[in-house]
Amino acid sequence: MITVSGVGKAFGARRLFHDVTMQLDAPRRFGLVGANGSGKSTFLKMLSGEEPLSDGAISYARGARLGILRQDRFLNDSETVLEVAMQGDQQVHAALKRLHDLEGVANAVDEIGRLHDLIVHNEGYALESRASEILVGLGIPQSSLREPLATLSGGYKLRVLLAQVLIGRPDILLLDEPTNHLDILSISWLEKFLLGFAGLAVVISHDQRFLNAISTHILDVDYETIEMYTGDYKDFVRQKTEALTLKEAQIARQEKIIAEKQAFVDRFRAKATKARQAQSRVKQIEKIKVERLAPSSRREPKFAFTQTRPSGRDVLKTEELCKAFGDNVVLKDVSLQIHRGERVAVIGANGLGKSTLLKLLASKLPSDSGTVTWGHETKVGYFPQNHADLLSQPKQTPLEMVWEGCPLEQESTVRGQLGRVLFTGDDVKKPVAALSGGEAARLIFARIAVEKPNVLLLDEPTNHLDMEAIEALARALQAYPGTTIFVSHDRWFVSQLATRILEVKKDGIANFPGTYEEYLASQGDDHLNVRVVMQQAKEAQAREATQQQSKAPKGKVQQAGEQRLAAPEDPESKLTWEERKKLQNRRKTLPRLRETVLAKIHEAEQRKQGITASFAEEGFFERTDPDVIKKLRLLEIELDSQIDGLMTEWETLEKEMVELGISVQ
């Protein structure tokens, strides 16, 4: 559908990539990955025609419709949410509007007929119901659909933009960070939508679990080019690591051969009896071409969090904490106890009070009633979702901001801390107002690190960070000895860290003492709400049956009604005695198989955590042989793949258990 031929892009002397040639076809889904600033969004804009090419050409299949998520697109706040979303199908929406305008016009019969045919051909009379279904799937309440767009927050307006793109029946989807501002349930819905999408999709995302779920291929922007890898994100990491290891080994072998030949030349160049052999080796050296790797655009910050002193065992206690904004009661009677060393993930749908809870704990908001009591010797570090809350002095420099957190330290120490989070040279002196989202996040973490708190309150800490920074942050928090309470919609990040889950619901907060995977297992669904998914499936089936009946002859409709009134037949009644016996044995075996798989998952995760802990040790990379590090990285990737395979096996077993009526609690 899209042919990319010799494409390059440069901004002045800075070259992002060059000589990119590839074919992007349906029904493939491409995850577009790379470091912040490497050119991912630029390439997506080039595919959409919004950004000019420096070299090469891009062509499209004839008649292909593009759906492009533009997060900076203008929206009319006075229009209803539903109306804005329906505009995504421009042709049908315009036809419906024109048809409405022609009501009662006597001499417009021919035009009305043409409009009617166009609408029927494009299933336009179902546009409103289709738009409603997509909006609700993206987490916008049914009650808000006919309200003005102005009543929604900025994050929810972006959901309407995404809905508008999906409603347009595109053949090609180009999505830049579509999971931004989506909660876990909405991300799950989007995954299901993309998995059922028959066209071509190119998606930028920093959510590993999302990419693993939807990607058939990965496009990697690095080394001044764009490479295509087959498989999901974990497959890409393995393939890229293996390819880089092989390429480095090949270069090392070539350099060793050159060094040996050069040593012979240097030793015997002046010796008459060896001069011919030396000259021969000079020619051999000239023929050996050592491939030089272009510098990688990926840079990994070195986050590290320490504490001045440990807190007491009882870190935090809240009693009957309440908060409302006008008539909207966000949190009611929240009573919690948090203990030292816990990593508590606060999850749930948007708008239910997760960020509000952290702001109450950080004393950034006053509560309406109830108490927040911090334990003995607690010192809190707070990372806000809105970076502007901490970067309140736009002219302040990164050097000044971090130094403010440790005024007794030398400038060299502060610069060293900034260097760990990728601020070097003159970067430390530019105003914080000029920082990108990723730079601002890294700066705030640097400030928190020098303050050495023993409690971390983190509100969406992975927003704006690239893959390398997210992985580095996860490792640093795993090694952190203090207590961490964090809000996140990044399921990979939550699964790496959480030892306890707090799910914020409409009727209160559910407390689960365990990991995210254990929590999902207890719920019997990957996204916390299997009942809603099942109910939606039943409603879809019911709608389809109703549509089929409306098209069928009257006698057949009555017959179908008679069949529905008949008592349902037990499917097992048709099985032979041997088949029923096998089914009975399977019911007995499945729980044991499930427990075995869970034990294997736990063992693999423990091994991986051991590797991660080693990587986080101070000075590990300086004192460890590079070959050992490479082997550990490959083992880490292998364990990731093993865990993913076991998770799939576990989900399959639980699905079979549910189908056979076996409890998975």
Side-chain angles (χ1 to χ4, degrees), residues 234 495-496 517 597 600-609 635-651:
K234 68 177 185 300
S495 68
Q496 295 297 302
E517 305 302 339
V597 171
K600 289 180 179 178
I601 292 172
H602 178 72
E603 181 185 355
E605 287 179 337
Q606 290 292 104
R607 292 180 65 192
K608 185 187 171 189
Q609 287 174 8
L635 177 58
E636 187 178 34
I637 293 167
E638 182 183 334
L639 287 170
D640 270 333
S641 178
Q642 182 181 340
I643 290 168
D644 284 334
L646 288 168
M647 291 295 294
T648 301
E649 184 179 351
W650 165 64
E651 290 169 357

Side-chain angles (χ1 to χ4, degrees), residues 149-160:
L149 188 67
T151 61
L152 297 183
S153 66
Y156 277 93
K157 287 180 182 178
L158 288 176
R159 296 187 189 208
V160 177

Side-chain angles (χ1 to χ4, degrees), residues 400-612:
E400 291 168 343
M401 180 180 172
V402 175
W403 210 342
E404 190 178 71
C406 53
L408 301 180
E409 296 291 348
Q410 299 294 319
E411 180 176 344
S412 59
T413 302
V414 179
R415 281 181 173 272
Q417 183 62 48
L418 285 165
R420 292 173 63 88
V421 296
L422 308 181
F423 285 90
T424 58
D426 292 338
D427 290 343
V428 305
K429 293 185 177 180
K430 63 183 180 182
V432 296
L435 299 181
S436 67
E439 288 173 328
R442 287 187 270 113
L443 176 59
I444 294 171
F445 282 126
R447 171 65 183 260
I448 291 172
V450 300
E451 293 175 343
K452 299 182 179 181
N454 50 33
V455 180
L456 294 176
L457 296 178
L458 311 178
D459 192 357
E460 292 288 359
T462 62
N463 280 2
H464 306 292
L465 295 181
D466 56 25
M467 294 285 199
E468 288 69 34
I470 292 171
E471 291 175 3
L473 179 61
R475 288 197 298 272
L477 293 176
Q478 286 170 341
Y480 175 59
T483 305
T484 306
I485 306 170
F486 66 102
V487 172
S488 181
H489 294 310
D490 187 322
R491 294 158 299 165
W492 178 88
F493 187 75
V494 174
S495 68
Q496 295 297 302
L497 292 175
T499 61
R500 179 176 170 188
I501 303 294
L502 296 179
E503 187 195 351
V504 181
K505 301 180 177 181
K506 289 183 178 179
D507 56 353
I509 294 181
N511 175 44
F512 182 84
T515 67
Y516 183 60
E517 305 302 339
E518 290 169 341
Y519 180 68
L520 295 182
S522 74
Q523 298 296 302
D525 177 62
D526 183 45
H527 269 289
L528 317 177
N529 208 345
V530 69
R531 292 180 296 279
V532 171
V533 175
M534 291 174 66
Q535 182 62 31
Q536 289 174 345
K538 288 179 181 177
E539 290 171 356
Q541 291 172 355
R543 286 195 300 270
E544 185 178 353
T546 302
Q547 291 170 359
Q548 290 175 349
Q549 291 165 13
S550 65
K551 297 175 183 177
K554 186 174 180 181
K556 290 187 177 180
V557 173
Q558 292 171 343
Q559 183 180 2
E562 292 167 0
Q563 289 173 350
R564 288 198 304 275
L565 292 172
E569 185 177 5
D570 181 6
E572 292 187 25
S573 64
K574 295 183 178 181
L575 299 178
T576 65
W577 182 87
E578 290 83 359
E579 289 171 334
R580 285 199 299 272
K581 186 66 174 176
K582 287 181 181 178
L583 193 59
Q584 186 179 2
N585 290 336
R586 184 63 175 167
R587 284 195 173 105
K588 291 179 180 178
T589 306
L590 279 172
R592 292 198 300 270
L593 291 174
R594 172 177 174 265
E595 292 305 314
T596 300
V597 171
L598 286 173
K600 289 180 179 178
I601 292 172
H602 178 72
E603 181 185 355
E605 287 179 337
Q606 290 292 104
R607 292 180 65 192
K608 185 187 171 189
Q609 287 174 8
I611 295 172
T612 303

Side-chain angles (χ1 to χ4, degrees), residues 309-355:
R309 63 179 63 84
S311 68
R313 181 182 178 278
D314 297 324
V315 171
L316 171 67
K317 183 177 183 180
T318 70
E319 294 183 285
E320 299 182 347
L321 198 60
C322 297
K323 183 64 182 178
F325 297 95
D327 295 332
N328 181 23
V329 179
V330 179
L331 297 170
K332 183 178 180 181
D333 297 333
V334 177
S335 297
L336 300 169
Q337 281 191 312
I338 309 292
H339 301 298
R340 183 179 60 224
E342 287 191 297
R343 295 197 295 265
V344 183
V346 183
I347 64 174
N350 281 343
L352 297 182
K354 302 185 300 299
S355 293

Side-chain angles (χ1 to χ4, degrees), residues 199-464:
L200 162 67
V202 183
V203 183
I204 296 176
S205 179
H206 293 145
D207 186 329
Q208 290 191 29
R209 191 156 179 168
F210 178 72
L211 288 175
N212 280 329
I214 64 109
S215 300
T216 61
H217 295 74
I218 296 293
L219 302 178
D220 178 41
V221 186
D222 200 5
Y223 300 112
E224 297 182 355
T225 189
I226 303 176
E227 292 283 349
M228 183 188 299
Y229 294 82
T230 301
D232 57 23
Y233 183 77
K234 68 177 185 300
D235 295 325
F236 147 70
V237 172
R238 174 180 53 78
Q239 293 171 41
K240 184 174 181 178
T241 302
E242 291 174 351
L244 181 60
T245 301
L246 288 173
K247 191 170 288 186
E248 288 175 341
Q250 181 182 0
I251 292 172
R253 283 195 299 271
Q254 290 175 323
E255 290 176 339
K256 183 180 179 182
I257 292 170
I258 291 174
E260 290 171 348
K261 292 183 183 298
Q262 187 63 50
F264 183 92
V265 171
D266 294 341
R267 183 177 179 185
F268 297 111
R269 187 195 306 268
K271 195 169 183 179
T273 57
K274 298 285 188 179
R276 182 176 296 178
Q277 295 176 22
Q279 188 60 33
S280 174
R281 280 167 172 75
V282 169
K283 292 180 179 179
Q284 291 172 12
I285 290 172
E286 291 173 352
K287 291 180 180 179
I288 299 174
K289 293 184 179 179
V290 180
E291 181 183 0
R292 297 298 176 189
L293 291 175
S296 173
S297 59
R298 282 178 164 81
R299 297 190 301 160
E300 184 176 287
K302 293 181 173 61
F303 297 118
F305 303 105
T306 59
Q307 51 187 5
T308 305
R309 63 179 63 84
S311 68
R313 181 182 178 278
D314 297 324
V315 171
L316 171 67
K317 183 177 183 180
T318 70
E319 294 183 285
E320 299 182 347
L321 198 60
C322 297
K323 183 64 182 178
F325 297 95
D327 295 332
N328 181 23
V329 179
V330 179
L331 297 170
K332 183 178 180 181
D333 297 333
V334 177
S335 297
L336 300 169
Q337 281 191 312
I338 309 292
H339 301 298
R340 183 179 60 224
E342 287 191 297
R343 295 197 295 265
V344 183
V346 183
I347 64 174
N350 281 343
L352 297 182
K354 302 185 300 299
S355 293
T356 299
L357 175 60
L358 256 66
K359 287 179 179 178
L360 293 175
L361 300 183
S363 300
K364 302 299 180 183
L365 275 179
S367 64
D368 296 335
S369 61
T371 59
V372 175
T373 305
W374 288 101
H376 179 65
E377 291 282 6
T378 53
K379 182 179 180 181
V380 177
Y382 175 58
F383 181 98
Q385 183 178 157
N386 184 358
H387 299 160
D389 292 349
L390 285 185
L391 306 180
S392 56
Q393 303 177 49
K395 294 183 179 180
Q396 190 178 41
T397 67
L399 181 63
E400 291 168 343
M401 180 180 172
V402 175
W403 210 342
E404 190 178 71
C406 53
L408 301 180
E409 296 291 348
Q410 299 294 319
E411 180 176 344
S412 59
T413 302
V414 179
R415 281 181 173 272
Q417 183 62 48
L418 285 165
R420 292 173 63 88
V421 296
L422 308 181
F423 285 90
T424 58
D426 292 338
D427 290 343
V428 305
K429 293 185 177 180
K430 63 183 180 182
V432 296
L435 299 181
S436 67
E439 288 173 328
R442 287 187 270 113
L443 176 59
I444 294 171
F445 282 126
R447 171 65 183 260
I448 291 172
V450 300
E451 293 175 343
K452 299 182 179 181
N454 50 33
V455 180
L456 294 176
L457 296 178
L458 311 178
D459 192 357
E460 292 288 359
T462 62
N463 280 2
H464 306 292

